[in-house]
């Protein structure tokens, strides 16, 4: 037993008997502080207001007895040892009372026997408390998010399911809305300020949502930067839209980090009951699908679930699965678009373009599967295959007698951010035995500017290998000219969007002239993309653009067709 006195609630109609109990126990080393009650009302009040270790009850009292006192204790919900201490209760009734919940029965005056019983029951109560605390902790870990203290996905789903089942039992048509909130581009917070800052922001989001939502609304952190909200009773799309806009207001004020204002936006998906489902996981999946579509549209908005979204998602999952096996099943192949020297009019290089011949869908458009490969990270393996295949093909042109021929390969932003890129380029060159100067890597302007310092280091490492570098789609990004000047670039490719209207749009013509002049000032050569007419060729020649690429000189073609064109050039020469 602890050093502090035991707090005992004594149920007895005689004050002297209660005092005698305290004195006798004290002589035997058991210190108690007691409060005496002798009615149901007084006992209930003490149980509600006090922290008691023990209840010791007489049996026969005017208008009250031990069994009635036991019922008062049960109604209180408190787990407190209950001992009958009475001279006026039959053995049979005492045993029956113990079956009802009395912990022990001690005849009045047997204080020596009372001491071990008290010790035993207090140890038992302490053990039960420890078990409850452990259970509470397990409950906390199982059903509550450690970071935000909000319900987690398990509890969220259980509560929504319970609400749906109650509605069904009561014969009511369940109506409500489930919202999934995904924070747009949240990874930038972790990447820029660290995970502690990201956790602090998530806590503040949780607090803001808790403050604006009413008590009958269920809020949960589903995981990562995703939150769930369930609103019972919403039956109309218009009401759900008002609620979604109200959620968005939580993000209107900036989140502060070290004096810096961080502006975050949500992508919210909405699923309605019963339109979009009557089971919690069906509703959750629908809302998550709508949230993902909202994010694809640029975020900072909300979308209601539509069944066509699910069809698109299913198709996307199937396409991703097929794309994962495309390399090993030899479904990918390359086509090459020739690059023409402006002065000689001959093919001097070719851009390798990956194509996918799907066994069921046929040729899948590049803009459909390249984007998917980027988003899923598959572009790293596909890009390595393209590098190897392009170098092999270019080496084949060299063996056929066209040793000045070069090949260019597009490198996505995902690939460029991978340290494995250097290894992949080195392996492709080694396996094909292609001279490094025959390979040019094309990197988009926006990819170059994502992390200028790291970019400069990667480009220098590639240039040290002897590989040439071009910046693709130039003019469509937001480049800093000071950074571009520092990058070890060989070629600037003028985006086709400027070349297309070159002959009719003076603004585009001025942009093209400026890009060519800029490139020459930095001792870079230029390639004009998307050249489709003789008029465009003449203007570009006049501005001293060195190389052309576009349908005017040939659409993407297979390796054999490139070889035929090279052979024809040789004959004409």
């Amino acid at each position: 037993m602890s050093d502090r006195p035991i707090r005992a609630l004594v149920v007895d109609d005689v004050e002297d008997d209660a005092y005698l109990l305290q004195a006798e126990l004290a002589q035997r080393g058991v210190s108690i502080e007691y409060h005496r009650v002798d009615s149901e009302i007084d006992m209930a009040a003490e149980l509600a207001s006090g922290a008691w270790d023990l209840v010791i009850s007489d049996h026969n009292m005017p208008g009250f007895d031990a069994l009635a006192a036991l019922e008062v204790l049960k109604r209180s919900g408190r787990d407190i040892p209950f001992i009958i201490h009475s001279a006026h209760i039959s053995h049979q009734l005492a045993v029956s009372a113990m079956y009802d919940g009395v912990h022990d029965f001690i005849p009045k005056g047997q204080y020596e026997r009372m001491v071990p019983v008290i010790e035993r029951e207090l140890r038992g109560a302490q053990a039960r408390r420890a078990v409850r605390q452990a259970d509470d902790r397990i409950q906390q870990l199982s059903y509550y998010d450690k970071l935000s203290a909000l319900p987690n996905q398990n509890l969220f789903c259980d509560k929504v399911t319970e609400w749906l089942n109650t509605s069904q039992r009561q014969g009511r048509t369940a109506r409500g809305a489930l919202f999934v909130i995904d924070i747009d581009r949240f990874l930038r917070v972790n990447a820029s300020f660290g995970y502690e800052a990201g956790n602090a922001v998530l806590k503040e989001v949780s607090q803001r949502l808790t403050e604006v939502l009413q008590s009958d609304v269920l809020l949960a952190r589903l995981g990562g930067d995703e939150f769930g909200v369930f609103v019972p009773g919403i039956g109309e799309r218009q009401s759900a839209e008002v609620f979604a806009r109200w959620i968005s207001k939580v993000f209107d004020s900036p989140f502060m980090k070290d004096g810096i204002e961080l502006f975050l936006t949500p992508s919210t998906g909405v699923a309605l009951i019963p339109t979009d489902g009557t089971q919690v996981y069906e509703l959750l999946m629908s809302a998550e699908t709508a949230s993902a579509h909202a994010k694809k549209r640029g975020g900072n908005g909300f979308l209601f679930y539509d069944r066509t979204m699910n069809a698109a998602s299913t198709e996307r999952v199937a396409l991703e699965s097929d794309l994962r096996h495309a390399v090993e099943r030899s479904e990918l192949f390359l086509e090459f678009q020739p690059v023409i020297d402006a002065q000689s009019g001959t093919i001097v290089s070719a851009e390798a373009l990956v194509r996918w011949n799907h066994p069921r869908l046929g040729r899948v458009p590049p803009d459909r599967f390249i984007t998917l490969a980027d988003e899923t990270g598959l572009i790293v393996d596909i890009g390595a295959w393209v590098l190897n295949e392009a170098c092999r093909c270019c080496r084949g042109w060299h063996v056929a007698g066209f040793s000045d021929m070069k090949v260019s390969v597009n490198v996505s932003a995902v690939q460029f951010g991978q340290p494995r890129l250097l290894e992949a380029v080195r392996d492709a060159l080694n396996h094909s035995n292609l001279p490094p100067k025959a390979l040019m890597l094309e990197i988009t302007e926006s990819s170059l500017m994502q992390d200028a310092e790291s970019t400069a280091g990667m480009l220098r490492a590639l240039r040290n290998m002897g590989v040439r570098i071009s910046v693709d789609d130039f003019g469509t990004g937001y480049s800093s000219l000071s950074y571009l000047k520092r990058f070890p670039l060989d070629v600037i490719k003028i985006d086709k969007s400027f070349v297309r209207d070159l002959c009719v749009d003076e603004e585009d013509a001025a942009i093209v002239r400026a890009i060519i002049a800029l490139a020459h000032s930095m001792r870079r050569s230029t390639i004009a993309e998307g050249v489709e007419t003789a008029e465009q060729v003449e203007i570009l020649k006049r501005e001293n653009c060195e190389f052309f690429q576009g349908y005017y000189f040939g659409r993407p073609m297979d390796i054999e067709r490139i070889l035929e064109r090279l052979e024809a050039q040789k004959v004409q020469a």
Side-chain angles (χ1 to χ4, degrees):
M1 293 185 292
S2 65
D3 294 335
R4 68 170 178 81
I6 299 167
R7 297 205 66 214
L9 184 62
V10 177
V11 184
D12 203 314
D13 59 330
V14 180
E15 179 65 36
D16 288 347
D17 286 353
Y19 180 78
L20 179 62
L21 173 67
Q22 180 189 41
E24 292 290 342
L25 289 176
Q27 288 184 7
R28 291 162 177 79
V30 179
S31 175
I32 70 169
E33 291 180 355
Y34 76 90
H35 183 81
R36 186 184 65 84
V37 295
D38 57 9
S39 70
E40 179 177 342
I41 294 175
D42 290 345
M43 183 179 177
E46 288 299 327
L47 287 172
S49 60
W52 302 103
D53 300 315
L54 190 66
V55 175
I56 301 176
S57 177
D58 191 7
H59 179 56
N60 268 339
M61 294 170 284
F64 199 43
D65 62 20
L67 299 182
L70 179 63
E71 289 302 314
V72 174
L73 177 61
K74 286 181 179 180
R75 287 198 301 270
S76 75
R78 306 281 295 276
D79 179 13
I80 303 173
F82 187 101
I83 298 170
I84 294 178
H85 183 224
S86 176
H88 303 288
I89 184 171
S90 68
H91 182 75
Q92 183 179 1
L93 185 59
V95 171
S96 176
M98 291 179 69
Y99 277 111
D100 283 342
V102 169
H103 290 83
D104 212 332
F105 158 68
I106 309 293
K108 269 197 176 177
Q110 296 186 15
Y111 301 109
E112 291 291 345
R113 184 180 163 194
M114 175 77 77
V115 172
V117 169
I118 290 175
E119 292 177 344
R120 182 195 68 207
E121 293 307 325
L122 290 180
R123 283 195 299 270
Q126 186 177 28
R128 290 193 299 274
R129 278 196 300 273
V131 170
R132 283 197 300 274
Q133 288 171 356
D135 287 342
D136 290 344
R137 179 59 178 159
I138 292 171
Q139 180 90 350
Q140 187 75 18
L141 293 173
S142 300
Y143 290 108
Y144 288 88
D145 174 57
K146 184 177 180 182
L147 177 67
S148 65
L150 292 175
N152 62 14
Q153 181 170 320
N154 291 333
L155 184 56
F156 182 77
C157 291
D158 286 352
K159 291 289 187 182
V160 175
T161 299
E162 181 182 338
W163 183 85
L164 290 168
N165 290 340
T166 300
S167 297
Q168 186 177 18
R169 284 196 305 271
Q170 294 176 351
R172 294 185 288 108
T173 300
R175 297 197 178 278
L178 193 151
F179 301 78
V180 168
I181 307 161
D182 197 323
I183 303 175
D184 299 327
R185 294 171 287 280
F186 182 76
L187 288 178
R188 293 187 308 174
V189 178
N190 288 335
S192 301
F193 300 100
Y195 285 99
E196 287 187 5
N199 288 343
V201 169
L202 290 173
K203 283 183 180 179
E204 187 171 348
V205 171
S206 305
Q207 183 178 347
R208 290 187 186 186
L209 287 170
T210 301
E211 289 172 354
V212 302
L213 298 179
Q214 296 179 352
S215 59
D216 62 336
V217 173
L218 179 61
L219 169 65
R221 183 181 175 216
L222 303 179
D225 58 352
E226 193 174 77
F227 294 83
V229 177
F230 175 65
V231 187
I234 287 185
E236 299 176 353
R237 192 182 180 98
Q238 185 177 3
S239 300
E241 181 174 333
V242 170
F243 197 91
R245 294 188 189 281
W246 181 251
I247 289 175
S248 297
K249 288 185 176 296
V250 166
F251 296 86
D252 285 351
S253 301
F255 298 80
M256 302 301 296
K257 170 58 183 173
D258 297 335
I260 299 174
E261 292 184 334
L262 303 178
F263 288 91
L264 300 177
T265 56
S267 290
T268 304
V270 189
L272 296 176
I273 306 170
T275 308
D276 302 323
T278 55
Q279 303 295 321
V280 65
Y281 288 106
E282 183 182 9
L283 291 163
L284 197 59
M285 184 180 69
S286 298
E288 286 179 340
T289 300
S291 172
H293 276 73
K295 188 177 286 287
K296 284 180 186 176
R297 291 190 177 185
N300 195 21
F302 63 90
L303 282 178
F304 286 87
Y305 172 73
D306 186 279
R307 296 194 184 279
T308 58
M309 294 178 180
N310 218 36
S313 298
T314 302
E315 181 183 344
R316 178 187 170 86
V317 170
L319 198 64
E320 179 186 338
S321 177
D322 291 342
L323 186 57
R324 290 185 180 275
H325 301 289
V327 174
E328 64 189 61
R329 293 172 180 169
S330 301
E331 294 169 5
L332 299 181
F333 63 97
L334 295 184
E335 288 186 334
F336 299 88
Q337 187 167 36
V339 176
I340 309 300
D341 182 274
Q343 296 301 318
S344 65
T346 59
I347 298 173
V348 293
S349 179
E351 180 181 353
L353 302 167
V354 64
R355 300 291 187 253
W356 183 15
N357 189 19
H358 192 281
R360 179 173 52 85
L361 302 174
R363 288 187 61 154
V364 181
D367 58 353
R368 187 175 172 193
F369 76 87
I370 293 295
T371 303
L372 180 61
D374 263 333
E375 292 174 357
T376 58
L378 291 173
I379 195 66
V380 175
D381 291 333
I382 292 175
W385 178 86
V386 171
L387 268 171
N388 279 283
E389 187 67 8
C391 289
R392 185 189 67 81
C393 291
C394 190
R395 178 59 182 165
W397 296 326
H398 288 194
V399 171
F402 304 99
S403 57
D404 292 334
M405 190 65 177
K406 298 175 176 61
V407 69
S408 60
V409 176
N410 290 285
V411 176
S412 76
V414 176
Q415 282 177 279
F416 195 67
Q418 295 280 330
R420 288 172 50 194
L421 177 61
L422 292 173
E423 181 183 347
V425 172
R426 188 180 296 110
D427 288 346
L429 292 171
N430 290 338
H431 292 158
S432 63
N433 199 28
L434 182 71
K437 66 179 181 179
L439 174 63
M440 182 163 70
L441 299 181
E442 298 190 6
I443 303 164
T444 62
E445 183 182 7
S446 55
S447 298
L448 289 176
M449 299 309 299
Q450 283 187 1
D451 185 345
E453 294 301 325
S454 298
T455 294
M458 177 66 81
L459 293 180
R460 281 193 294 270
L462 290 168
R463 282 292 300 276
N464 289 338
M465 293 170 59
V467 174
R468 300 168 70 239
I469 308 292
S470 75
V471 54
D472 197 11
D473 301 337
F474 188 81
T476 60
Y478 303 93
S479 298
S480 163
L481 294 181
S482 62
Y483 273 116
L484 275 179
K485 190 174 180 180
R486 290 169 51 193
F487 293 154
L489 303 172
D490 298 286
V491 176
I492 290 178
K493 296 190 77 172
I494 306 169
D495 188 68
K496 59 186 176 183
S497 62
F498 302 117
V499 175
R500 181 178 55 242
D501 297 326
L502 179 63
C503 302
V504 295
D505 190 321
E506 181 53 38
E507 186 174 327
D508 281 350
I511 291 173
V512 169
R513 283 195 299 271
I515 292 174
I516 294 172
L518 173 66
H520 291 167
S521 71
M522 295 191 298
R523 296 182 177 82
R524 273 67 159 167
S525 57
T526 54
I527 299 176
E529 294 185 284
V531 179
E532 297 183 355
T533 67
E535 291 80 5
Q536 292 170 343
V537 171
E538 289 305 314
I539 294 174
L540 289 166
K541 279 185 176 180
R542 204 159 53 235
E543 299 299 334
N544 294 317
C545 180
E546 291 90 344
F547 302 98
F548 307 140
Q549 181 180 347
Y551 289 171
Y552 184 76
F553 301 99
R555 292 176 176 271
M557 57 191 75
D558 59 32
I559 182 174
E560 289 80 11
R561 179 59 182 150
I562 288 286
L563 194 55
E564 289 175 7
R565 292 277 297 269
L566 292 171
E567 293 284 1
Q569 284 181 183
K570 188 176 181 180
V571 171
Q572 291 172 2

